[in-house]
């Protein structure tokens, strides 16, 4: 079923969450340079599901890995382009990180600048997983075989959510009677049983006292005396306080807050450097060194402790992270999360593995998810369940999704907007409805006619009508429009110039000379 | 006629008339382009050529008057003359000096290659052939035979090569004398080494066979009802050849080492190999007596000569493995 | 499957292998002329009459003349009773098992130091160069490991001996100068050091015993004698380990789950430490079996060159026999040492497999 376009309507004035402009990614192999992406541009807006579709080998995975800047180097590199994640261009410093000298197709010299790459990686590690997360085609290969599922998910939480955990723990330690009273009043104002439960759950979660959830519930159920309940709850929490650690937790929180400040400052510094704003550079530089001095002076001991007494100090954190992990596993409908959390990837089925991957990607509350053929390796029923989960997440928490697949039926079922890829180019982009009802680009037209009607679900298995010719070799791609050797409508200009992706009607873009004369400038 | 390809299947990139030939060409091209591997190839080729030359035209060594009696003739003992150091005067024979007992080291080393490399090739190739046959059939048939072969290889794997080589050679020499079968000392060592070397190839072949067996391609052949022997010969063995070839190129170096080590440990004397027999391990063990008197070159130079070959063939093998690795091929 | 069942299965597989090994040594013993075999049993210095008697005894003892399966069974019971036959050689005369017992600690000491030394160096070095493939340090490491991997170990030993044995006198590794000659320490059960007093030797390893008895001058001497042999053996072991670990690091770095780790935002340092290194080092546990095999083989060579009276030399002595003349090869010595080497390696592989199964959750399907 084709998803309604209602959400896209509102998008006109929104800023895109991820914006890719003229992205060029190449692989330098012994056979020659694979021109995998040739000026790919697209945007993903908050809250939408953007689908990328195309034959295998057309560069979908390369696109998604480029967006996270995870192209394996060697052999690959992003050559040029811009990738904005939440407004920050993550690849603005390409030229600072490496010089590429192309002597011939098979003899390419790359000089890498370690310092710049290191800085780049430092910045990116704070963005990856935090602002944008990714799941892969083969969950079995994508999970670390020697770590338990729980450890792998907790790793994300400990990396990105440490301050939120600190806050919960500190709140618990400093719980006041007023807060408890408010909660009790709130509780009694609700009539619905499940709502009541939820309220208790929320309360417990925000103070990191989940272990008391049941007792609080029974307390509330058995007694009417608000004062008594309040005191009981307070006692319950206070008696179990880990008082001894509170100082440590404050300190750790301070440390990680400082780390965050340093990171924010680095970002500002980077931005200033890119703008060439020398006064700003100076300002941020001095601020940065000030922060670093604080780090060195105040947190010297703590850092040693974190290194050598990690377990002892971080026990509370791990406990909380584990609880959150269980919650995440429940959220993605894993049966028996208490068992799964301690199992290794090979002990789970493919569907479970993919769910665990999704749980892992959600761990840091990212606002966007990249799903690279998340269902291709799974059987049909599991496929449907995973798609359901992704759609639910999109609906419930408004997470944007870049959804990659070669399966048009899946696109029709899931996505709001679609980009059609062919041999490293996006050749057409439009809303899902329009792509299916009114495809423009000859390649898309071919795709559509090769698919049984889009509204007949799950029939992709039947023999497809075919487009003549073969997928081009991306080492020596066809000149001009890369589709021209296979195109029924090819004209003279098609082999000479590369058509530009232009908007031919409202939010419908096509790269084809049949619709527009505009070509890419070389 | 235009070929039509289902658009959602990965299209074949190019049509090739002889995929095997194309592949071989590609491999050669890649090896040549890989500088390190190519150096290894050149070194290996030079050594093989020298060994070959000695086989077909030994006179190329052109022994001078003072060594003509010594190198290849049987029955000499060290004549007590002290080694002379490497020198550039007096012809190329003396470039690397002379050894204890006064033979010229350079031609002696060259003459050694025929035995060292020749026998090593014999050992590795025979071992590989036995291993391929045993491994592919046991892997393909499975069951009791497979289990038996695995246990046998296990046993061979659990005894250090050198120890096994020595033990097998000595015991075999007795067996042959008992049965009055004439066999030369080197053939004896070679036979012993073949017996202990084939399990390596059997294991390798077996593991590849198992993965090939589960591929679609073989499943289709099985379904079509062709005989098992036929399947092994037409489908499995060709698929096994290229990794086995890589293994051969890597093993050749190791076998030369084992061969000369066995010789060095004095086994040569036991099975009747002469003091002057040109074999690198033998030359080095002969030089051992002069070492503490300060004569380093009769040991040092043959060792380096051997090392260059083993390093060369190893880097060639490594390069070849990288090139043949499907992951590296895009 | 649980670890317990895995171990049980692994032990069951060991049984046929051990029987196979025994069969192999049995075949070795029966592949030679019977007369030569009997000659080994007989004291050559005895009178003809005694010889004839001993010969008769040998025939009944070995079960010669019986059908082969019965002979094999006799052999099995002999082995089970610790009777591996006798040998007469330049270094040792007597029961083969006793000889192994006496000579083993020396080899073991060298092996232990070699393993410790090479593991301590190869793990950090291998992970270091494996984490930056194609860098300068990687190239240096690769050339180093390649050269030592391809080097004839006897040549390396000779060169080290030439370089250090002559110029640095304290490293002159020509036999352990305890009590002058042979290897009497274990027989006596006490070390007589240069000052004349004696003490107990719990491990029979000279260096360790000396340290345990706080006799540091002796410990220093013992250590000096260990340096060159251990260095020689370490070089080859190290080269193999280094190659393996490097390849493992590179291979693991290309795995999909490393990409996942980066996509999660794990900083590079932690990716290396937590995700790559552990997964890369795990399989190197499995090559330890192969390395020990190489090590024992190398020990034969090294002990020969540095004149160390260890197990390797015992097996060589069995071959050279009393006079270095082919006729006096000690078949029982040969078969016995082969059997023992085989058992050691099987045990090593067993332990390696179990440790690996313990470390890698995937093994216990
Ligand atoms: N590591 C790599 N080395 C060389 N070429 C690569 C690599 N990864 C991808 N490519 C090439 O990039 C192109 C696009 O691949 P990919 O993005 O994986 O396709 P898909 O659309 O099926 O995800 C292919 O032609 C492939 O050969
Ligand atoms: S640009 Fe030309 S070749 Fe390309 S799709 Fe359009 S008509 Fe066909
Ligand atoms: Mg893909």
């Amino acid at each position: 079923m084709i998803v309604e376009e209602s959400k896209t309507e509102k998008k006109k004035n929104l800023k895109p969450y991820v914006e890719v402009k003229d992205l060029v990614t190449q692989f330098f192999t012994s056979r020659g340079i694979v021109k995998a992406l040739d000026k790919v541009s697209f945007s993903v807006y908050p809250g939408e599901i953007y689908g990328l579709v195309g034959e295998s080998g057309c560069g979908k995975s390369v696109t998604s890995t480029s967006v996270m800047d995870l192209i394996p180097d060697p052999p690959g590199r992003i050559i040029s382009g811009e990738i904005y994640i939440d407004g920050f261009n993550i690849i603005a410093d390409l030229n600072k990180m490496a010089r590429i000298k192309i002597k011939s197709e098979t003899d390419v010299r790359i000089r890498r600048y370690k310092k710049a790459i290191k800085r780049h990686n430092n910045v990116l590690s704070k963005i990856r997983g935090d602002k944008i997360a990714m799941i892969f085609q083969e969950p079995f290969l994508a999970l670390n075989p020697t770590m338990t599922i729980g450890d792998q998910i907790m790793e994300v939480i400990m990396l990105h959510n440490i301050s939120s955990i600190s806050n919960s723990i500190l709140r618990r330690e400093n719980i006041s009677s007023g807060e408890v009273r408010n909660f009790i009043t709130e509780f009694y104002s609700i009539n619905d049983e499940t709502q009541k439960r939820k309220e208790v759950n929320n309360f417990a979660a925000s103070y990191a006292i989940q272990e008391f959830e049941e007792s609080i519930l029974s307390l509330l159920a058995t007694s009417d005396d608000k004062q008594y309940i309040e005191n009981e709850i307070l006692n319950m929490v206070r008696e179990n306080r880990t008082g001894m650690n509170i100082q440590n937790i404050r300190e750790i929180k301070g440390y990680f807050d400082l780390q965050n400040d340093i990171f924010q400052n680095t970002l500002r510094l980077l931005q200033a450097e890119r703008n060439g704003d020398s006064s700003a550079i100076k300002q941020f530089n001095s601020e940065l060194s000030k922060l670093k001095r604080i780090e060195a002076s105040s947190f010297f001991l703590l850092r040693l402790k974190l290194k050598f007494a990690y377990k002892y100090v971080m026990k509370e954190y791990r406990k909380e992270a584990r609880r959150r992990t269980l919650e995440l596993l429940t959220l993605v409908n894993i049966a028996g999360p208490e068992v799964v959390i301690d199992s290794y990837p090979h002990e789970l089925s493919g569907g479970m593995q993919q769910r665990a991957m999704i749980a892992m990607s959600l761990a840091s509350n990212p606002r966007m998810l990249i799903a690279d053929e998340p269902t291709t390796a799974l059987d049909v029923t599991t496929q449907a369940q995973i798609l359901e989960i992704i759609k639910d997440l999109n609906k419930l928490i408004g997470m944007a999704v870049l959804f990659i697949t070669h399966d048009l039926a899946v696109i029709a079922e899931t996505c709001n907007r679609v980009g059609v890829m062919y041999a490293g180019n996006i050749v057409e982009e439009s809303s899902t409805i329009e792509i299916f009802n009114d495809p423009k680009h000859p390649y898309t037209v071919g795709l559509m006619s090769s698919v049984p009607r889009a509204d007949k679900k799950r029939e992709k298995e039947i023999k497809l009508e075919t487009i003549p010719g073969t997928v081009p070799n991306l080492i020596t791609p066809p000149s001009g429009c890369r589709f021209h050797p296979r195109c029924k409508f090819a004209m003279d200009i098609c082999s000479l110039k590369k058509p530009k992706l232009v908007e031919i009607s409202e939010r419908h873009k096509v790269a084809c000379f049949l619709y527009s004369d505009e070509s890419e400038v070389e | 006629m235009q070929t039509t390809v289902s658009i959602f299947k990965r299209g074949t990139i190019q049509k090739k008339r002889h995929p095997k030939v194309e592949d071989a060409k590609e491999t050669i091209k890649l090896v040549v382009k890989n500088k390190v591997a190519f150096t290894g190839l050149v070194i290996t080729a030079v050594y093989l050529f020298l060994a070959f030359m000695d086989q077909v035209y030994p006179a190329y060594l052109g022994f001078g008057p003072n060594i003509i009696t010594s190198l290849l003739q049987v029955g000499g003992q060290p004549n007590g003359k002290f080694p002379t150091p490497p020198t550039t005067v007096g012809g190329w024979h003396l470039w690397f000096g002379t050894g204890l007992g006064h033979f010229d080291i350079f031609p002696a080393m060259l003459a050694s290659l025929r035995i060292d490399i020749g026998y090593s090739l014999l050992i590795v190739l025979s071992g590989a052939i036995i291993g391929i046959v045993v491994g592919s059939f046991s892997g393909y048939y499975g069951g009791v035979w497979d289990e038996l072969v695995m246990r046998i290889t296990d046993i061979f794997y659990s005894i250090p090569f050198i120890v096994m080589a020595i033990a097998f050679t000595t015991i075999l020499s007795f067996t042959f004398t008992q049965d009055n079968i004439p066999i030369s000392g080197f053939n004896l060592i070679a036979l012993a080494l073949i017996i202990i070397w084939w399990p390596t190839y059997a294991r390798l072949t077996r593991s590849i066979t198992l993965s090939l067996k589960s591929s679609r391609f073989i499943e289709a052949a099985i379904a079509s009802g062709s005989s098992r022997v036929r399947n092994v010969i037409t489908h499995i063995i060709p698929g096994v050849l290229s990794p086995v070839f890589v293994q051969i190129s890597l093993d050749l170096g190791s076998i030369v080492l084992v061969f000369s080590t066995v010789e060095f440990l004095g086994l040569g004397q036991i099975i009747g190999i002469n003091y002057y027999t040109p074999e690198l391990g033998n030359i080095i063990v002969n030089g051992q007596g002069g070492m503490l008197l300060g004569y380093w070159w009769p040991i040092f130079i043959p060792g380096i000569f051997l090392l260059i070959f083993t390093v060369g063939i190893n880097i060639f093998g490594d390069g070849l493995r990288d090139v043949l690795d499907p992951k590296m091929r895009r | 499957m649980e670890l317990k069942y895995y171990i049980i299965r692994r032990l069951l597989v060991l049984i046929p292998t051990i029987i196979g090994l025994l069969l192999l040594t049995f075949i070795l013993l029966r592949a030679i002329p019977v007369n030569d075999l009997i000659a080994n049993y007989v004291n050559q210095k005895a009178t003809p009459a005694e010889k004839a008697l001993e010969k008769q005894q040998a025939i009944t003892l070995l079960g010669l003349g019986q059908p082969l399966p019965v002979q094999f069974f006799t052999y099995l019971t002999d082995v089970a009773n610790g009777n591996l036959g006798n040998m007469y050689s330049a270094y040792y005369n007597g029961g083969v098992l006793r000889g192994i017992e006496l000579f083993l600690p020396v080899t073991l000491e060298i092996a232990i130091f070699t393993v410790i030394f090479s593991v301590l160096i190869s793990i950090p070095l291998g992970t270091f160069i494996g984490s930056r493939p194609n860098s300068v340090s990687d190239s240096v490491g690769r050339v180093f490991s390649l050269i030592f991997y391809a080097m004839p170990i006897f040549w390396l030993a000779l060169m080290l001996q030439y370089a250090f044995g002559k110029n640095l006198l304290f490293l002159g590794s020509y036999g352990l100068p305890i009590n002058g000659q042979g290897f009497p320490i274990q027989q006596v059960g006490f070390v007589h050091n240069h000052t004349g007093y004696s003490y107990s030797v719990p491990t029979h390893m000279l260096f360790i015993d000396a340290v345990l008895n706080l006799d540091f001058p002796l410990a220093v001497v013992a250590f000096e004698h260990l340096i060159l042999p251990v260095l020689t053996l370490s070089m080859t072991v190290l080269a193999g380990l280094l190659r393996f670990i490097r390849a493992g690091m590179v291979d693991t770095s290309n795995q999909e789950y490393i990409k996942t780790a980066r996509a999660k935002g794990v900083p590079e340092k932690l990716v290396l430490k937590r995700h790559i290194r552990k997964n890369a080092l795990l399989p190197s546990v499995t090559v330890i079996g192969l390395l020990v095999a190489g090590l024992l083989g190398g020990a034969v060579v090294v002990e020969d060159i540095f004149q160390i009276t260890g197990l390797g030399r015992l097996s060589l002595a069995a071959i050279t026999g009393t006079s270095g003349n082919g006729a006096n090869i000690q078949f029982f010595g040969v078969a016995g040492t082969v059997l023992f080497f085989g058992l050691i390696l099987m045990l090593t592989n067993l332990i390696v497999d179990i440790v690996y199964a313990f470390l890698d959750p995937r093994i216990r399907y």
Side-chain angles (χ1 to χ4, degrees), chain A residues 60-61 137 372-373 404:
Chain A
K60 303 182 299 290
S61 296
Q137 179 170 350
D372 186 353
E373 311 222 16
I404 291 171

Tab-separated table of all heavy atoms in Angstrom, chain A residues 60-61 137 372-373 404, ligand 3:
chain	number	residue	atom	x	y	z
A	60	LYS	N	23.815	1.979	-3.908
A	60	LYS	CA	22.975	2.331	-2.760
A	60	LYS	C	23.767	2.229	-1.456
A	60	LYS	O	23.744	3.150	-0.639
A	60	LYS	CB	21.752	1.397	-2.688
A	60	LYS	CG	20.907	1.414	-3.956
A	60	LYS	CD	19.693	0.515	-3.833
A	60	LYS	CE	20.008	-0.946	-3.593
A	60	LYS	NZ	20.602	-1.660	-4.732
A	61	SER	N	24.458	1.102	-1.300
A	61	SER	CA	25.218	0.936	-0.056
A	61	SER	C	26.341	1.951	0.029
A	61	SER	O	26.639	2.466	1.104
A	61	SER	CB	25.809	-0.469	0.030
A	61	SER	OG	24.793	-1.415	0.091
A	137	GLN	N	22.395	-4.922	6.073
A	137	GLN	CA	21.697	-6.006	5.375
A	137	GLN	C	21.841	-7.347	6.090
A	137	GLN	O	20.882	-8.087	6.220
A	137	GLN	CB	22.250	-6.109	3.959
A	137	GLN	CG	21.633	-7.209	3.146
A	137	GLN	CD	22.043	-7.113	1.687
A	137	GLN	OE1	22.626	-6.133	1.265
A	137	GLN	NE2	21.724	-8.130	0.920
A	372	ASP	N	20.027	-0.094	5.530
A	372	ASP	CA	20.526	-0.548	4.229
A	372	ASP	C	20.042	-1.974	3.971
A	372	ASP	O	20.589	-2.924	4.486
A	372	ASP	CB	22.057	-0.488	4.218
A	372	ASP	CG	22.625	-0.806	2.849
A	372	ASP	OD1	21.838	-1.198	1.966
A	372	ASP	OD2	23.838	-0.652	2.670
A	373	GLU	N	19.022	-2.106	3.190
A	373	GLU	CA	18.407	-3.392	2.886
A	373	GLU	C	18.202	-4.222	4.152
A	373	GLU	O	18.678	-5.356	4.248
A	373	GLU	CB	19.271	-4.181	1.892
A	373	GLU	CG	19.683	-3.347	0.710
A	373	GLU	CD	19.599	-4.107	-0.604
A	373	GLU	OE1	18.945	-5.159	-0.642
A	373	GLU	OE2	20.157	-3.616	-1.600
A	404	ILE	N	16.879	1.840	2.283
A	404	ILE	CA	17.487	1.383	1.036
A	404	ILE	C	17.015	-0.018	0.719
A	404	ILE	O	16.997	-0.890	1.588
A	404	ILE	CB	19.019	1.411	1.177
A	404	ILE	CG1	19.459	2.865	1.245
A	404	ILE	CG2	19.676	0.700	0.021
A	404	ILE	CD1	20.882	3.033	1.590
D	3	LIG	MG1	24.042	-3.013	-1.031
